[in-house]
Amino acid sequence: METRNIMKILIKNRTNDIVKEFGTNYEKGESVLNLLERLQETDDTSLAFLRECKSGKCGACRMRINGKERLACTEEVTGKDLYLAPSNYGIYVRDLLCIDVICGEVEGSDNVR
Amino acid sequence: MLDADVLIIGSGAAGMLAALESSQTAKVVMISKGSFGRDGATISAQADIAVDSKSCSKLLGLTRGDESDSADFFAADMLQEGSDLGDAELIDIHTHSIPKEIKKLVKLGLKLRGLEHNPGHRYPRSVYISAVELCNILRKEISHRQVFTFQYTVACDLVIRDGQVLGVIALDMLTRSLMEFRAKVTVLCTGGGMRLYPYSTAPCGLTGDGLAMAYRAGAEMSDMEFPMFLPYSLLLPRLLQGATFTHELAMLTGAHALNKRGERYLEKWDSIHMERTTRDINAVAAGMEIITGNGSPNGGTWLSLAHLPRNLINNIVSSLPEGLNNWRDGGFDLKKLLPNLSYDALETIPAAHFWNGGIVIDKDCKTSVPGLLAAGEGTAGLHGANRISGNGLAHAIVWGVRAGRTAAKIALKQRYVLSKGDGDNIAQISENVLKPLHKKSGCSPIELAKIIRTKAWQSISLVRNGHDINSFLVDLRGLYIEAEEQCIRSNTSVWNAELLVALQNVNMLDIAKVTATSAYLREESRGAHYRTDYPQTDGKWVQNVVIQKKSEKDFFSICRAKNSVAAKGNSITRTYGDKKYYENSD
């Protein structure tokens, strides 16, 4: 069986309403974060998300991927449709962007790592 | 507008330590481009710290420490690995300070593992820590102090009047408004510019903003031709690009680096040490295979463990000091993501890892611009032409503290925050920052960033030659004009990622220009700088290239490195002032 080429990416807000929708090619070996960067480049330059260490350490890119709290940089894209939503932790800003309360412990980081 | 005694830009280890040190007596404001305490390069460091073996065993209580080592021997190794371009005075301070600073961190709860013997060192000196733990500890300490932190606040340019730095204009990413920070003293802890290159092991934010700001403010920049590339960083799969555990594999196992014909190309470069030679030779050797068309299909070279038995590979992986336990690295499940190493080779590439040169500082972290201090990665003097392993975090730790100390002293001595007013450059900065928002048409910042990275990779990365660098310098003129014409498509005021990229592009162009100019001037090969038109190391060139911007023009000077080396028979003596470092070349 051939892998489906076009995948659908649905971006929800905290109350589960769909705010953005994209269709894009599946590229093997990409992370969800790589995919978001690609969408920002080609489809929607206003797309908001955090990206920092890209190596599963800083926790900046945590979000809900298909309903589960995950880091976008360590999660491989499988070719199936993706449902992305902002993390349940931190202050929700826009799209997939959630920011931390300044200083101290990172809220909820243990749940992800 | 916000007044402070000390303004610290950047929240990696250097910035946080400077804040801890200075906040005892001064009012400290910190701004960071990303999430506070997690956005710098510290968190993704490979996390080994070099401390001389004697102090490891005496002061830090680690086993396997060799008491015949000393801080002076460590200094001599640093000078040698940096191909004699390091500043012996700074190196001397560094090697004598690092044990005490680590001890202080241990008291705060940092756990040490060790000791390993890494290439370039004569004694086992590598103490392993967890970089994530270090960040957590420092962040927690700061939360107990009166330090005002602003995250997602991008420093745009230093405010200057009459040659004195008065603070910084920064962009608040959450509101797209410009903020004015004023301080008695400003400390740059912004790290290097590794993200000037498309392949890098550093976090996304490391675009050399601090280096570029200092350069524009007229600070002296030295050794900028020596960005360090970490050989055997992973190229594929995409999500693991820039991962460094493959480098550990290559250094600590009998892994083979292969070109497209399956030849171990290091035979031509160092037939004795092969893949375990120093990082600069490894990177240049791979670079030569890539540019001569002998690389892998995706532009790297191959790294293979397939000649080793499967159970041995498993054993090696689980005993790496990086701790790839159960094949996990950070949050990555390597068993799922990597091919089976018993059968398949990995595609790897030397990726930009560290910025050896940068802003010229003295022993108190003062730059050549009044009111401006700098610390950590992106300051010149310690590493010379090539950094010895374990000195990345160490650089941030020792010099962050020193910068904090100097800043606190200046804050006590100077009574008022200087007022701004006529003759400063605030209006000019604001206009430059917001210009891309008002353009109706022009090039896309994201596209321009890609072009800059591709061109920088072609001309000023692993392997260089005078002709290519020269045409890159010509291309840069065009790219500067395009950067002037950057136009932002999205009009959002909350987190405008394009505006951030547009700002970073200008910074990338500035550091690319300084790097290219320095690389063009250095007509030899040394450390991380390799030129095909001058492949030999030339004794004449024990000199630092220093570049400084004065009234919109670049001035460069080439000055003798601040140490002297005299070879006699089998031994080399390195001196600085009346201090002597002896070393045998056995």
Side-chain angles (χ1 to χ4, degrees):
Chain A
M1 265 244 311
E2 205 179 278
T3 329
R4 240 175 79 196
N5 267 337
I6 301 289
M7 51 194 284
K8 212 158 59 175
I9 294 108
L10 297 158
I11 295 181
K12 298 179 183 179
N13 62 11
R14 272 212 173 146
T15 48
N16 269 341
D17 309 315
I18 292 172
V19 288
K20 281 178 181 172
E21 195 178 330
F22 303 98
T24 187
N25 287 327
Y26 163 65
E27 284 183 19
K28 201 175 175 302
E30 265 190 337
S31 66
V32 174
L33 192 64
N34 294 146
L35 176 79
L36 288 170
E37 284 177 331
R38 193 151 59 83
L39 289 175
Q40 193 180 53
E41 219 175 283
T42 55
D43 288 54
D44 179 6
T45 53
S46 76
L47 193 62
F49 55 93
L50 266 185
R51 49 180 193 143
E52 276 159 23
C53 80
K54 279 187 166 181
S55 53
K57 289 172 181 160
C58 74
C61 64
R62 66 170 181 265
M63 54 183 70
R64 278 182 289 147
I65 298 171
N66 296 330
K68 288 182 188 129
E69 201 75 31
R70 289 280 184 272
L71 295 179
C73 66
T74 61
E75 203 67 10
E76 195 181 8
V77 173
T78 57
K80 294 195 187 111
D81 292 350
L82 270 176
Y83 292 86
L84 306 177
S87 163
N88 284 327
Y89 299 95
I91 302 161
Y92 178 43
V93 182
R94 190 165 73 76
D95 289 348
L96 296 166
L97 185 67
C98 283
I99 60 165
D100 264 313
V101 190
I102 293 181
C103 246
E105 292 295 313
V106 183
E107 205 189 338
S109 60
D110 293 341
N111 303 26
V112 183
R113 221 177 284 127
Chain B
M1 190 169 71
L2 216 115
D3 279 5
D5 291 335
V6 179
L7 170 67
I8 296 170
I9 304 172
S11 70
M16 288 199 279
L17 282 162
L20 287 178
E21 190 69 24
S22 52
S23 63
Q24 292 169 354
T25 54
K27 177 186 171 188
V28 179
V29 169
M30 278 183 90
I31 65 177
S32 71
K33 183 155 134 184
S35 317
F36 179 82
R38 288 179 292 148
D39 65 330
T42 302
I43 205 156
S44 59
Q46 270 175 311
D48 56 325
I49 296 176
V51 182
D52 71 272
S53 223
K54 188 178 181 182
S55 304
C56 282
S57 105
K58 285 223 158 146
L59 194 67
L60 305 175
L62 293 165
T63 51
R64 289 184 63 194
D66 188 334
E67 300 211 358
S68 47
D69 193 12
S70 73
D72 286 344
F73 281 137
F74 180 19
D77 283 359
M78 276 176 74
L79 269 175
Q80 186 189 25
E81 191 78 355
S83 301
D84 300 317
L85 290 194
D87 180 334
E89 189 188 15
L90 301 189
I91 291 175
D92 193 44
I93 291 171
H94 178 86
T95 57
H96 284 89
S97 310
I98 184 74
K100 283 174 272 175
E101 298 303 339
I102 300 296
K103 185 78 185 170
K104 277 196 243 165
L105 290 172
V106 170
K107 280 192 185 139
L108 294 178
L110 188 71
K111 286 186 266 314
L112 309 179
R113 282 180 297 134
L115 216 49
E116 296 289 332
H117 192 163
N118 278 345
H121 292 279
R122 269 179 292 176
Y123 292 94
R125 292 193 187 120
S126 297
V127 181
Y128 280 80
I129 63 153
S130 153
V132 178
E133 191 186 63
L134 175 68
C135 287
N136 286 339
I137 288 173
L138 293 177
R139 210 166 48 216
K140 207 166 152 191
E141 282 302 310
I142 292 215
S143 69
H144 297 153
R145 297 286 181 84
Q146 182 97 336
V147 175
F148 300 86
T149 57
F150 292 80
Q151 49 180 359
Y152 315 112
T153 305
V154 188
C156 303
D157 240 328
L158 297 163
V159 177
I160 295 171
R161 196 185 59 206
D162 303 331
Q164 164 98 19
V165 171
L166 306 177
V168 79
I169 298 289
L171 173 77
D172 179 3
M173 284 299 285
L174 295 176
T175 59
R176 208 181 66 187
S177 53
L178 289 180
M179 295 166 84
E180 193 183 324
F181 293 89
R182 298 202 306 186
K184 292 176 186 169
V185 56
T186 305
V187 190
L188 288 175
C189 301
T190 44
M194 289 74 76
R195 283 280 164 188
L196 168 63
Y197 300 101
Y199 306 103
S200 170
T201 65
C204 312
L206 275 280
T207 46
D209 304 358
L211 290 168
M213 280 191 286
Y215 162 71
R216 289 195 291 265
E220 287 180 346
M221 313 292 286
S222 176
D223 298 340
M224 286 285 281
E225 64 274 41
F226 300 112
M228 191 188 103
F229 293 84
L230 190 78
Y232 313 118
S233 305
L234 202 56
L235 181 58
L236 286 177
R238 277 260 356 238
L239 78 167
L240 274 165
Q241 195 172 87
T244 54
F245 65 88
T246 41
H247 175 78
E248 301 282 326
L249 277 182
M251 288 298 113
L252 298 168
T253 71
H256 288 175
L258 306 171
N259 65 14
K260 76 168 182 194
R261 288 189 294 276
E263 296 157 350
R264 292 179 72 183
Y265 54 82
L266 277 152
E267 194 85 55
K268 291 177 274 186
W269 297 82
D270 186 345
S271 57
I272 298 165
H273 299 98
M274 298 298 284
E275 288 81 2
R276 302 195 55 183
T277 181
T278 52
R279 299 193 269 204
D280 47 347
I281 296 176
N282 261 316
V284 170
M288 284 302 275
E289 295 301 315
I290 294 164
I291 62 161
T292 50
N294 290 322
S296 69
N298 294 292
T301 58
W302 299 97
L303 185 75
S304 166
L305 271 74
H307 56 286
L308 300 172
R310 195 189 52 182
N311 51 357
L312 179 58
I313 294 177
N314 278 327
N315 192 29
I316 287 169
V317 167
S318 55
S319 62
L320 283 181
E322 274 283 289
L324 289 180
N325 289 329
N326 295 320
W327 290 86
R328 292 192 74 87
D329 175 49
F332 294 104
D333 183 353
L334 300 180
K335 246 183 190 150
K336 216 170 77 186
L337 297 171
L338 292 184
N340 189 333
L341 297 183
S342 311
Y343 305 108
D344 291 320
L346 296 168
E347 274 189 67
T348 59
I349 195 159
H353 184 60
F354 193 85
W355 208 263
N356 288 329
I359 308 161
V360 176
I361 56 166
D362 69 2
K363 63 181 177 18
D364 298 318
C365 296
K366 286 182 184 151
T367 67
S368 52
V369 182
L372 184 67
L373 308 184
E377 184 180 2
T379 56
L382 273 192
H383 310 300
N386 191 29
R387 176 169 71 79
I388 202 165
S389 68
N391 259 354
L393 269 181
H395 187 176
I397 291 169
V398 170
W399 297 87
V401 173
R402 288 186 76 83
R405 215 172 285 158
T406 310
K409 267 187 213 154
I410 296 175
L412 281 179
K413 230 189 310 176
Q414 193 176 311
R415 292 183 64 190
Y416 304 104
V417 176
L418 294 172
S419 62
K420 290 175 189 167
D422 291 347
D424 64 32
N425 55 346
I426 293 179
Q428 185 62 43
I429 298 171
S430 315
E431 195 200 317
N432 286 346
V433 173
L434 300 175
K435 192 162 51 188
L437 290 169
H438 307 310
K439 285 266 185 281
K440 292 280 177 292
S441 65
C443 73
S444 141
I446 296 176
E447 284 296 313
L448 182 62
K450 266 187 158 172
I451 296 170
I452 298 171
R453 290 194 171 112
T454 312
K455 293 204 170 187
W457 183 251
Q458 285 164 355
S459 342
I460 50 168
S461 62
L462 306 165
V463 177
R464 300 136 182 210
N465 69 66
H467 178 261
D468 285 359
I469 303 171
N470 199 23
S471 52
F472 178 64
L473 282 166
V474 174
D475 286 350
L476 273 178
R477 284 183 216 153
L479 292 171
Y480 268 112
I481 294 168
E482 285 199 44
E484 288 280 308
E485 297 298 319
Q486 292 184 98
C487 158
I488 283 166
R489 267 105 184 128
S490 58
N491 197 29
T492 172
S493 58
V494 181
W495 203 271
N496 196 321
E498 261 188 306
L499 182 58
L500 177 62
V501 175
L503 289 175
Q504 290 178 166
N505 282 346
V506 179
N507 294 334
M508 277 158 55
L509 286 173
D510 278 341
I511 60 165
K513 184 172 78 176
V514 180
T515 303
T517 313
S518 312
Y520 187 73
L521 291 172
R522 185 172 284 282
E523 293 182 336
E524 61 145 5
S525 293
R526 183 182 293 269
H529 169 77
Y530 184 83
R531 276 182 61 167
T532 48
D533 44 354
Y534 297 96
Q536 301 301 325
T537 303
D538 185 341
K540 287 204 303 271
W541 269 102
V542 185
Q543 306 193 82
N544 301 103
V545 178
V546 179
I547 294 188
Q548 189 176 21
K549 187 174 178 174
K550 285 180 195 159
S551 50
E552 297 308 304
K553 273 193 180 143
D554 285 327
F555 284 86
F556 37 81
S557 50
I558 297 167
C559 48
R560 206 164 142 256
K562 289 185 186 164
N563 66 66
S564 63
V565 182
K568 195 179 173 188
N570 269 341
S571 66
I572 305 172
T573 314
R574 286 156 210 274
T575 52
Y576 176 77
D578 48 4
K579 188 129 193 169
K580 275 193 179 140
Y581 303 101
Y582 295 98
E583 158 204 329
N584 291 315
S585 56
D586 49 3

